[in-house]
Amino acid sequence: MNFLSVFQPSKHENPALNGLRGFLLILVILCHIYMVLHDAGKTAPVGMYAAQFFRGLSLTIDAFFVLSGFLISGPLFIELEKKGTISLKTFFIKRSFRIFPPYYIFLLLQLAITLVLMEMTTDPIHLETARVLLSRFVYDFLYISNYFPGTLLQGWSLSLEEQFYVSFPFFLLFIYRKLPYSLRFPSLVILLIIPIVYRFFAFFFWISPQDPHLETTYRKYIYNPFQGHFDAIIMGILLSFFLKERKELIQAWTKNRYLNELIHFLFWVSLIVYNTIFSELEYGVPSMVLRFSVNSFCFAGIIFYCLKGGWIATIFSTRLLLPFAKLSYVAYIVHMFLLGFILAPLQRVETVTSWDILKQWIPAILGIYVFSYLFHLVAELPFVKLKELTLKRFGYKE
């Protein structure tokens, strides 16, 4: 086993996309520091735009969905073109050894800690909290916590992605593959449109500005469910299709290097401006319906231009971001649990300012990634070799 693999580049990975992934998770941590302290009632009143900045960093989740759709669909499209089919066995072996070990090991660790704490406490409030957590573990284990809240606050997004991994290969095999070539791209566009239509429907039927539990209702009917959020994944799939099937058009579009860098920069500006103006939890179509579409389109553009190079892509390609990228999955699983300990000192003070949040950011990143690296050695790295042996046993060749 190579214990330093997270610090070493791989020939199969794009350095700029790796760096982008690492950078985005660092922003997720900042967003969740704010949300943990805000939900605990510890944050001092801040300016409207400062609050929207911290809360709006949740848009990075859409970026991970776009990246997932792009990275997963690319090899499947190539396999389908070369072989006329997809090996479901190979796909699910690869995904299972990549995703399940860290996820289920952490869930079992969390379950064990909960049971130990139940034995150690007599406080009825703590006991009731522990019982509630125990009753919710099943939703995490079954990857349905985007419909039924589990123990992981970020588990809804992991569930949504897993639902995509399970369903998309079957869509390619039994629907997409049988369509005439001229209808394949429209079929993906239809998938992109379905969640947008659903969000309009959900917004006008279930969301009300008078709802005292607006955030809960919004998350239940729009933000968390697969049918309300999977268009971000489809945007990544469309980008993959576009890069594979429209090479001549892309070449014509991207001849001017300076124009490429300007457009890449404008995608970032568009993200910042839109999410500053339209807060995530502000009642309205731009915030609760169209925000997903705008974010995923901008991130698809950012991924596209990262692949084309330029000064922004060069920044993301720095080796400094490499371990953050390679540990991003493990770090995402464990970071909310660790923030409970890292932010404990701030939870004992009366109010926390924006400056306090920013000061806590770097220590939180370091603590989360040190733990993530150690957890990676135990719960992720051993299964890389096991995956290779399993694939070899079933006759798989790169």
Side-chain angles (χ1 to χ4, degrees):
M1 290 190 293
N2 184 357
F3 297 107
L4 300 178
S5 58
V6 298
F7 303 99
Q8 299 167 346
S10 169
K11 63 180 180 180
H12 300 297
E13 297 171 341
N14 182 280
L17 294 189
N18 259 345
L20 176 64
R21 189 170 64 196
F23 173 71
L24 290 170
L25 191 63
I26 289 171
L27 294 182
V28 168
I29 292 171
L30 177 58
C31 173
H32 286 165
I33 289 173
Y34 170 80
M35 291 174 66
V36 167
L37 294 171
H38 180 269
D39 292 348
K42 299 297 181 179
T43 51
V46 296
M48 178 183 69
Y49 291 118
Q52 287 184 196
F53 167 75
F54 287 122
R55 178 69 85 165
L57 290 174
S58 63
L59 65 90
T60 50
I61 301 300
D62 291 318
F64 282 112
F65 289 157
V66 177
L67 268 170
S68 291
F70 175 73
L71 295 173
I72 293 299
S73 63
L76 291 177
F77 281 141
I78 293 172
E79 183 181 2
L80 191 61
E81 182 180 28
K82 287 183 176 180
K83 300 179 180 179
T85 188
I86 292 170
S87 172
L88 294 176
K89 178 175 63 179
T90 299
F91 176 80
F92 286 118
I93 287 173
K94 286 182 175 181
R95 287 290 90 201
S96 297
F97 278 102
R98 171 74 179 94
I99 294 170
F100 291 159
Y103 181 75
Y104 283 119
I105 289 172
F106 181 75
L107 284 181
L108 291 173
L109 176 63
Q110 189 176 246
L111 176 61
I113 292 172
T114 303
L115 292 172
V116 169
L117 291 177
M118 284 185 71
E119 291 296 322
M120 293 173 60
T121 185
T122 57
D123 187 314
I125 296 177
H126 292 165
L127 283 171
E128 181 58 28
T129 301
R131 290 192 187 99
V132 170
L133 285 175
L134 288 175
S135 69
R136 292 180 175 180
F137 268 106
V138 65
Y139 305 134
D140 292 315
F141 272 83
L142 296 177
Y143 279 104
I144 54 173
S145 57
N146 54 333
Y147 292 98
F148 308 96
T151 60
L152 299 176
L153 294 179
Q154 74 280 28
W156 70 271
S157 58
L158 297 170
S159 295
L160 193 151
E161 286 210 32
E162 183 60 26
Q163 290 155 15
F164 157 68
Y165 296 143
V166 169
S167 59
F168 184 64
F170 290 100
F171 166 78
L172 287 181
L173 269 180
F174 299 111
I175 298 177
Y176 179 89
R177 183 179 63 157
K178 297 180 180 181
L179 292 173
Y181 179 81
S182 60
L183 294 180
R184 288 183 173 183
F185 182 75
S187 72
L188 297 175
V189 173
I190 290 171
L191 289 181
L192 181 76
I193 293 172
I194 289 173
I196 301 172
V197 173
Y198 168 80
R199 287 198 297 271
F200 271 105
F201 175 87
F203 178 80
F204 288 110
F205 278 85
W206 291 312
I207 308 298
S208 168
Q210 286 78 40
D211 186 349
H213 306 290
L214 178 61
E215 179 177 353
T216 302
T217 306
Y218 163 69
R219 292 191 178 281
K220 178 180 179 181
Y221 290 108
I222 293 181
Y223 192 79
N224 288 3
F226 181 80
Q227 71 272 17
H229 214 144
F230 77 88
D231 50 324
I233 297 176
I234 302 299
M235 188 67 76
I237 295 170
L238 281 169
L239 175 60
S240 178
F241 179 95
F242 190 71
L243 286 171
K244 176 179 170 293
E245 302 293 340
R246 301 290 187 269
K247 292 179 181 178
E248 292 182 3
L249 181 61
I250 291 170
Q251 190 174 8
W253 276 6
T254 57
K255 285 182 178 179
N256 190 317
R257 180 168 64 89
Y258 299 105
L259 182 60
N260 292 343
E261 294 190 8
L262 175 61
I263 296 173
H264 190 172
F265 178 73
L266 289 176
F267 273 121
W268 282 106
V269 172
S270 300
L271 271 177
I272 294 168
V273 170
Y274 191 91
N275 287 275
T276 300
I277 295 173
F278 300 109
S279 171
E280 177 187 17
L281 298 177
E282 177 186 354
Y283 177 83
V285 169
S287 300
M288 295 184 164
V289 176
L290 299 180
R291 182 173 177 266
F292 305 92
S293 304
V294 173
N295 289 345
S296 57
F297 177 75
C298 287
F299 279 121
I302 287 167
I303 292 168
F304 175 81
Y305 283 104
C306 276
L307 294 171
K308 295 301 168 185
W311 65 271
I312 299 177
T314 300
I315 292 172
F316 285 133
S317 298
T318 177
R319 289 283 292 271
L320 182 64
L321 288 171
L322 183 60
F324 293 99
K326 293 205 169 190
L327 290 170
S328 60
Y329 176 59
V330 171
Y332 187 70
I333 291 174
V334 306
H335 80 282
M336 289 299 289
F337 175 81
L338 295 177
L339 284 179
F341 298 97
I342 294 169
L343 299 179
L346 288 181
Q347 300 221 36
R348 288 195 289 267
V349 303
E350 188 172 341
T351 56
V352 177
T353 66
S354 297
W355 179 237
D356 292 327
I357 292 171
L358 291 172
K359 285 192 297 184
Q360 193 63 44
W361 188 23
I362 300 301
I365 292 169
L366 294 176
I368 288 167
Y369 272 94
V370 168
F371 182 90
S372 297
Y373 175 68
L374 297 175
F375 192 66
H376 154 80
L377 296 179
V378 175
E380 194 171 38
L381 187 59
F383 295 93
V384 173
K385 185 63 176 178
L386 188 57
K387 178 187 73 174
E388 293 171 355
L389 292 173
T390 305
L391 289 170
K392 185 177 180 180
R393 180 183 177 186
F394 284 102
Y396 172 77
K397 294 181 180 179
E398 289 286 354

